[in-house]
Amino acid sequence: MTYLSELSIEHFRGFLAKQTVSFALPNEQPGSGLTILVGPNNVGKSTVIEALRHVISPPGLVDRNERHLDNALRISIRDTATGYREITNPGLSANIAASGSAHPRTEIFRFIPSRRPWAPRTNTHTIESKQYWIQRTHQTRNEDAHLISRLNSFPPEEKVAFNQALRRLVPQLLDWKIEYSDGHTYLEYVTINGAAHTANLFGEGIASLFRIVLALYDPDESFVVIDEPELSLHPQAQKRLAKFISAQAAHRQIVLCSHSPHFINWADLAAGAAVYRLRQDRYGIHLHRLSDDTIAMLNKLVDDWQKPQLLDTVAREVFFADEALFLEGQEDVSLLGRFIEVENLPQIQLFGYGTGGSRNFRSFLSMAADLHIPSGAIFDRTSKGDYDKIRATFPGVRLELLQADDIRDKPATSERRSVEGVFSRAGDMKSEFRDYLIGLLREFRDYFDDASRP
């Protein structure tokens, strides 16, 4: 099987210097063929998709707003069978020149845009998969006028298989069929209570899922790109869709552009999924990939069943964060977060529910470094040994030792002496530490502000 191995982009829209995406390759494990692009709005995720569309199905002309006057755009792809394809604009003109041949071909490229409206009625009765996806590659910003026609082309056995996939994502949908009236075909659906409705009553989430499932269902070696799969879906629906996509990525390549932590799964990363974070500065758009070594370190935490919060949905929000201040435990996050609110201090993005101890700082700081997320950490004074070791590994990162043994007072036990904290056992701020802590948090705010400047 031939797969797409990499995409390179140079002098296209916000891209200046050459940036490369190496795509995950499916290996029959769920999630293995999944490549996920994350980052703030307007940082270039959609540009990556547009570059991919341009090189797979080259346009005759490239818009003035997409090219640079002083450097030729250059977009290329390589596949695992050594195929290569490139487009450029000779003489810096609007005309596109294409050369070479590589996987995927236009007819097996499936692109689902972030806005997914489709016409509830159509005059066309049927359209086969190849023709449907070719025209969708060239027409992505307008209403899909042919979805009903594509669904109408299913033979009975294929419709049954499609429905099985769809009902995993939309349990309240019992069945659907294509109806005909007044010269138009349209979709009629039945809910689990037996009521029949026309598809124009669909909410945007269900309408969106019809198109996503179609892209993942059509049975061939398709290469699927989905822009913001989470749109119009409630959290449980996002979780179901993420699991479905992961299963499909066992045997095909899927690219997601997402703002939702539900679509980043540690098991997928362990299987070979790739995560890229995009950022932009005066030197253009940059792509940063989570390294295999960091993934291996983080996956060791997955096995800690006593601390599931370390890598849960809240923790995975770090992939979308502008910064991350790592703290040892959930008490640190709770007490410092509350202190910031009570004292009306500038907000700082605290990581999840803590890292589960200073020994885990290395893994999370490595993740932040890979993805170029400005980061810092606060150690308990009793963790000075870990502080010294980690400071040597991350010399440019702001690391601080508390001026107390722990975040909170702890009584003596048979296994340890009493512990002095910044806060009392009841969680109240000790007056002697108030000014110190305010100063420390303001310094971290200044540090993150400096790190985020272009």
Side-chain angles (χ1 to χ4, degrees), residues 25-275:
L25 304 178
N27 58 24
E28 301 304 316
Q29 295 184 66
S32 57
L34 192 58
T35 301
I36 307 168
L37 307 178
V38 302
N41 288 322
N42 300 315
V43 77
K45 297 186 296 298
S46 295
T47 297
V48 174
I49 295 177
E50 287 303 301
L52 188 56
R53 287 181 58 231
H54 279 1
V55 73
I56 289 173
S57 182
L61 300 170
V62 62
D63 191 276
R64 169 65 186 83
N65 295 323
E66 295 187 324
R67 54 193 168 88
H68 301 168
L69 290 179
D70 51 353
N71 288 281
L73 73 84
R74 196 173 303 277
I75 305 171
S76 63
I77 55 175
R78 296 183 184 274
D79 64 34
T80 54
T82 69
Y84 179 79
R85 184 187 307 159
E86 179 181 89
I87 64 169
T88 187
N89 60 327
L92 307 181
S93 71
N95 296 302
I96 286 292
S99 61
S101 177
H103 176 92
R105 304 180 305 278
T106 304
E107 61 267 24
I108 64 171
F109 180 65
R110 311 274 187 267
F111 173 45
I112 304 298
S114 58
R115 303 301 172 187
R116 314 186 246 278
W118 47 279
R121 289 174 174 264
T122 182
N123 292 319
T124 306
H125 289 176
T126 62
I127 183 172
E128 294 304 312
S129 177
K130 179 178 178 179
Q131 289 72 32
Y132 173 78
W133 288 111
I134 287 177
Q135 61 89 15
R136 289 315 306 159
T137 298
H138 293 285
Q139 301 173 2
T140 60
R141 299 187 182 277
N142 58 349
E143 183 179 65
D144 184 352
H146 302 296
L147 180 64
I148 298 297
S149 301
R150 176 71 193 107
L151 296 174
N152 196 25
S153 70
F154 281 1
E157 64 276 9
E158 287 190 16
K159 182 190 172 186
V160 170
F162 179 86
N163 277 3
Q164 288 176 344
L166 188 63
R167 287 203 63 193
R168 290 172 58 186
L169 303 177
V170 192
Q172 66 269 35
L173 185 68
L174 183 62
D175 198 7
W176 59 268
K177 62 180 178 178
I178 302 298
E179 276 288 2
Y180 179 77
S181 177
D182 296 328
H184 293 86
T185 55
Y186 62 93
L187 187 147
E188 182 177 275
Y189 69 98
V190 180
T191 59
I192 55 177
N193 64 6
H197 308 275
T198 57
N200 62 323
L201 297 178
F202 272 154
E204 289 188 9
I206 295 179
S208 173
L209 287 173
F210 261 85
R211 289 186 64 180
I212 291 175
V213 172
L214 180 63
L216 296 171
Y217 165 76
D218 263 347
D220 55 29
E221 71 273 31
S222 59
F223 182 95
V224 180
V225 178
I226 308 174
D227 193 6
E228 299 189 56
E230 66 271 12
L231 286 185
S232 300
L233 297 179
H234 65 79
Q236 290 303 316
Q238 290 185 42
K239 290 179 182 180
R240 288 195 294 266
L241 178 57
K243 187 173 183 179
F244 179 73
I245 288 173
S246 175
Q248 292 293 312
H251 55 270
R252 75 172 78 195
Q253 290 183 287
I254 301 173
V255 176
L256 302 180
C257 294
S258 180
H259 294 284
S260 171
H262 292 298
F263 289 89
I264 297 180
N265 186 286
W266 296 109
D268 293 342
L269 296 178
V275 176

Side-chain angles (χ1 to χ4, degrees), residues 323 325-327 332-350 376-378 398 400 402 407 422-423 429 433-449:
E323 65 203 34
L325 179 56
F326 296 106
L327 305 172
D332 303 69
V333 174
S334 177
L335 290 170
L336 289 183
R338 187 179 64 177
F339 182 75
I340 289 171
E341 293 291 340
V342 169
E343 296 292 338
N344 197 27
L345 297 174
Q347 290 295 311
I348 295 176
Q349 296 178 50
L350 308 179
I378 298 177
R398 179 74 184 261
E400 293 290 341
L402 278 179
I407 193 67
V422 175
F423 294 83
M429 164 56 59
F433 288 107
R434 179 178 176 275
D435 290 343
Y436 153 71
L437 197 56
I438 288 175
L440 179 63
L441 292 170
R442 288 191 183 279
E443 289 174 5
F444 266 107
R445 181 67 270 158
D446 291 341
Y447 160 75
F448 286 129
D449 289 342

Side-chain angles (χ1 to χ4, degrees), residues 252-434:
R252 75 172 78 195
Q253 290 183 287
I254 301 173
V255 176
L256 302 180
C257 294
S258 180
H259 294 284
S260 171
H262 292 298
F263 289 89
I264 297 180
N265 186 286
W266 296 109
D268 293 342
L269 296 178
V275 176
Y276 283 88
R277 181 177 181 266
L278 284 77
R279 68 178 180 91
Q280 189 170 18
D281 60 20
R282 60 182 175 175
Y283 302 107
I285 297 170
H286 306 271
L287 293 164
H288 304 288
R289 180 173 178 168
L290 194 62
S291 70
D292 292 341
D293 288 343
T294 299
I295 291 173
M297 284 193 291
L298 291 169
N299 275 322
K300 292 178 181 178
L301 304 181
V302 175
D303 297 330
D304 190 348
W305 59 270
Q306 292 181 313
K307 297 178 180 178
Q309 77 278 7
L310 295 185
L311 299 172
D312 73 353
T313 305
V314 174
R316 294 197 299 270
E317 289 179 1
V318 70
F319 286 97
F320 309 90
D322 298 321
E323 65 203 34
L325 179 56
F326 296 106
L327 305 172
E328 291 199 20
Q330 60 187 18
E331 286 188 355
D332 303 69
V333 174
S334 177
L335 290 170
L336 289 183
R338 187 179 64 177
F339 182 75
I340 289 171
E341 293 291 340
V342 169
E343 296 292 338
N344 197 27
L345 297 174
Q347 290 295 311
I348 295 176
Q349 296 178 50
L350 308 179
F351 170 74
Y353 301 104
T355 64
S358 60
R359 66 188 181 283
N360 294 333
F361 276 153
R362 186 183 304 274
S363 298
F364 291 107
L365 289 169
S366 294
M367 176 181 65
D370 287 350
L371 300 178
H372 278 244
I373 300 170
S375 65
I378 298 177
F379 294 70
D380 294 342
R381 191 163 59 189
T382 53
S383 302
K384 188 177 185 306
D386 290 331
Y387 166 79
D388 290 336
K389 293 176 184 177
I390 292 175
R391 186 175 59 174
T393 306
F394 300 94
V397 175
R398 179 74 184 261
L399 306 177
E400 293 290 341
L401 272 175
L402 278 179
Q403 290 183 1
D405 290 341
D406 205 331
I407 193 67
R408 183 174 68 90
D409 287 348
K410 306 285 175 60
T413 68
S414 59
E415 299 178 351
R416 67 158 190 250
R417 62 178 177 80
S418 63
V419 176
E420 178 195 23
V422 175
F423 294 83
S424 71
R425 288 181 61 185
D428 298 321
M429 164 56 59
K430 293 181 179 180
S431 59
E432 63 267 31
F433 288 107
R434 179 178 176 275

